Amino acid sequence: MIDRIKSLARQYAPEFIEIRRHLHANPELSYREFETADFVRRQLAAAGIPFETKATTGVIGLIKGKNPDSRIVALRADMDALPIKEENDIPYRSKNDGVMHACGHDVHTACLLGAARILSELKEEWEGTVKLIFQPGEEKNPGGASLLIKEGVLENPAPSAIFGLHVHPGLPVGKLSFRSGKVMASADELYITVKGKGGHAAAPHLCVDPILIASHLVLALQQVVSRNNNPHNPTVLSITAFNAGTTTNVIPNEVKLKGTFRAMDEEWRFKAHELIRNIAGRLVESMGGELDLLIDTGYPSVYNHEQLNDIARQKAEQYIGSGNVEETEKRMGAEDFGYYSQQIPGCFYRLGVMNIEKGLTAGVHTPAFNIDEDAIETGMGMMAWLGCSVSL
Ligand SMILES: [Zn+2]
Ligand SMILES: [Zn+2]
């Protein structure tokens, strides 16, 4: 089976590189993936794969092998692009000015379409069902994954495991990387207003200075992590915006702060929210101000199920050789794959796309990001191999 998949991946790779280029040239922003979803539906229809639409621009396909109820596995790709102006001078450069596939979701979609083609062609030769999830809105709250889960993507039929891949511009093309357990962080946004009483800067005793209070608050919030969190537990609290005042001789009425809170442990995450509320509330009150605090809860952390990750890693070693499989690092970035991995066993792994000789080293979310397209053969073949061979 593995050899059949490898040879089909080699045979079909040029076609799916073209598909990736088509997607790259026609990027769409989060939750507006209308043409991309149409394109995916046409590809699935051409391969004879039934599908349905969920969450407006999500496409869910189903490929049944032999004994379709014996095992059910989900494979996920995200389809949205970013509001970035592409700087690459390439024939398939973005035609949608100011929008760019700078996170490689064009690659993810092409790889999953390629895997679907292979799995469909070989469906008399493997057991079970593969659910294909082409999801919208990975880059933007509330996350397309959360919308699809609300619309029942993990039911009827219910997969026992889910896989997702992400391009990795720090990993050489031809390699894959895995990690067990906590791999990516949750991300919650902080919106804080400190209200005081403005007035003449020469008469501070008649004012409640929100700039002074907010300054104390920025420092005090650092205690949440440094004095309350177990140092072995990765977490970040950053205040990233501090806005108030317009001139030299007026104390303003209020200060607006923004920030981000990231964690890898769901229990600690919500305990920290309480600490933030308590420290901020008491400190601001003690100094005579008023506080408005919104913690906008974002994506949960990504947790790679140990046993599933071990199996997937072994499958990768069989597929591309153990010398091409690495351990990936933990990241404090967030991914809405976390929503799936909180519900069912999940494995989110990395696809190497870097090629130093070809100058393909730019990071994701930059205007110069691009990949070595040889990665597509590996990406689509490996997805197909996982889809038809892993059971949990
Ligand atoms: Zn991204
Ligand atoms: Zn991404």
Side-chain angles (χ1 to χ4, degrees):
M1 190 65 178
I2 191 168
D3 294 325
R4 298 286 312 276
I5 292 174
K6 278 188 196 173
S7 84
L8 286 179
R10 178 151 311 142
Q11 185 186 334
Y12 293 151
E15 187 182 331
F16 288 89
I17 287 172
E18 281 310 311
I19 282 174
R20 180 261 165 169
R21 291 183 175 200
H22 170 82
L23 295 168
H24 190 88
N26 296 281
E28 294 175 290
L29 290 172
S30 306
Y31 307 107
R32 293 186 218 161
E33 308 89 343
F34 296 103
E35 285 178 21
T36 307
D38 265 347
F39 181 83
V40 166
R41 282 189 285 262
R42 283 200 301 277
Q43 290 289 324
L44 294 179
I49 299 168
F51 56 83
E52 58 179 329
T53 296
K54 279 191 194 291
T56 312
T57 50
V59 182
I60 314 302
L62 215 53
I63 309 173
K64 293 188 174 182
K66 291 181 295 183
N67 301 318
D69 299 330
S70 60
R71 53 177 282 284
I72 300 159
V73 165
L75 305 176
R76 172 272 206 172
D78 40 15
M79 303 188 289
D80 55 329
L82 287 158
I84 291 177
K85 188 174 167 59
E86 177 155 23
E87 284 176 4
N88 293 313
D89 186 14
I90 46 177
Y92 51 94
R93 177 194 173 107
S94 170
K95 291 183 204 161
N96 188 354
D97 196 35
V99 181
M100 177 187 174
H101 268 298
C103 202
H105 299 185
D106 52 341
V107 181
H108 308 165
T109 302
C111 287
L112 186 54
L113 284 170
R117 169 79 71 79
I118 294 169
L119 288 169
S120 180
E121 191 157 324
L122 300 178
K123 67 185 175 192
E124 306 300 331
E125 297 174 41
W126 52 271
E127 302 250 337
T129 297
V130 171
K131 191 176 244 189
L132 310 164
I133 301 176
F134 295 90
Q135 74 154 74
E138 192 287 320
E139 296 285 2
K140 198 168 178 184
N141 276 349
S146 77
L147 302 181
L148 286 178
I149 290 169
K150 275 192 197 127
E151 293 196 17
V153 78
L154 298 182
E155 294 148 35
N156 297 324
S160 62
I162 184 165
F163 294 100
L165 69 77
H166 205 289
V167 296
H168 187 345
L171 185 69
V173 65
K175 295 193 172 200
L176 294 162
S177 66
F178 292 81
R179 186 182 190 94
S180 185
K182 297 167 183 178
V183 285
M184 292 185 76
S186 57
D188 304 319
E189 292 172 354
L190 308 177
Y191 297 91
I192 302 170
T193 304
V194 175
K195 294 177 187 165
K197 180 169 175 278
H200 202 297
H205 58 296
L206 301 177
C207 302
V208 176
D209 180 359
I211 290 184
L212 183 64
I213 300 173
S215 302
H216 280 287
L217 180 57
V218 171
L219 297 178
L221 286 176
Q222 291 305 312
Q223 295 171 35
V224 172
V225 175
S226 72
R227 301 294 88 172
N228 294 279
N229 177 51
N230 181 331
H232 294 290
N233 180 27
T235 194
V236 169
L237 192 160
S238 296
I239 297 298
T240 53
F242 188 120
N243 293 300
T246 53
T247 187
T248 57
N249 56 2
V250 178
I251 290 174
N253 280 315
E254 61 179 33
V255 176
K256 288 193 179 286
L257 306 174
K258 291 179 190 171
T260 183
F261 176 73
R262 287 154 189 261
M264 284 194 167
D265 180 285
E266 294 295 303
E267 200 179 317
W268 154 247
R269 176 190 185 193
F270 292 103
K271 188 180 159 207
H273 288 187
E274 277 317 298
L275 286 165
I276 292 168
R277 284 194 189 95
N278 269 332
I279 290 172
R282 289 176 189 197
L283 181 128
V284 172
E285 193 195 351
S286 75
M287 300 182 77
E290 271 180 57
L291 176 78
D292 252 5
L293 168 63
L294 171 68
I295 302 177
D296 191 8
T297 304
Y299 303 167
S301 52
V302 178
Y303 186 81
N304 277 348
H305 186 274
E306 285 91 348
Q307 197 190 343
L308 188 67
N309 184 75
D310 285 353
I311 297 170
R313 192 176 169 140
Q314 283 163 18
K315 296 282 176 191
E317 288 173 357
Q318 290 165 5
Y319 194 82
I320 53 168
S322 54
N324 289 317
V325 178
E326 293 188 5
E327 179 89 356
T328 206
E329 66 273 35
K330 281 186 192 174
R331 288 159 183 263
M332 297 313 285
E335 233 298 335
D336 82 346
F337 190 83
Y339 284 110
Y340 304 114
S341 75
Q342 298 291 332
Q343 301 272 329
I344 62 171
C347 175
F348 190 65
Y349 61 98
R350 303 266 166 190
L351 173 67
V353 296
M354 176 177 77
N355 188 322
I356 294 172
E357 277 125 56
K358 294 183 189 169
L360 297 165
T361 56
V364 292
H365 291 218
T366 71
F369 174 69
N370 200 5
I371 65 152
D372 185 327
E373 291 175 317
D374 288 348
I376 288 179
E377 182 185 327
T378 310
M380 60 192 265
M382 183 63 199
M383 267 271 164
W385 175 228
L386 289 172
C388 72
S389 70
V390 173
S391 54
L392 195 70

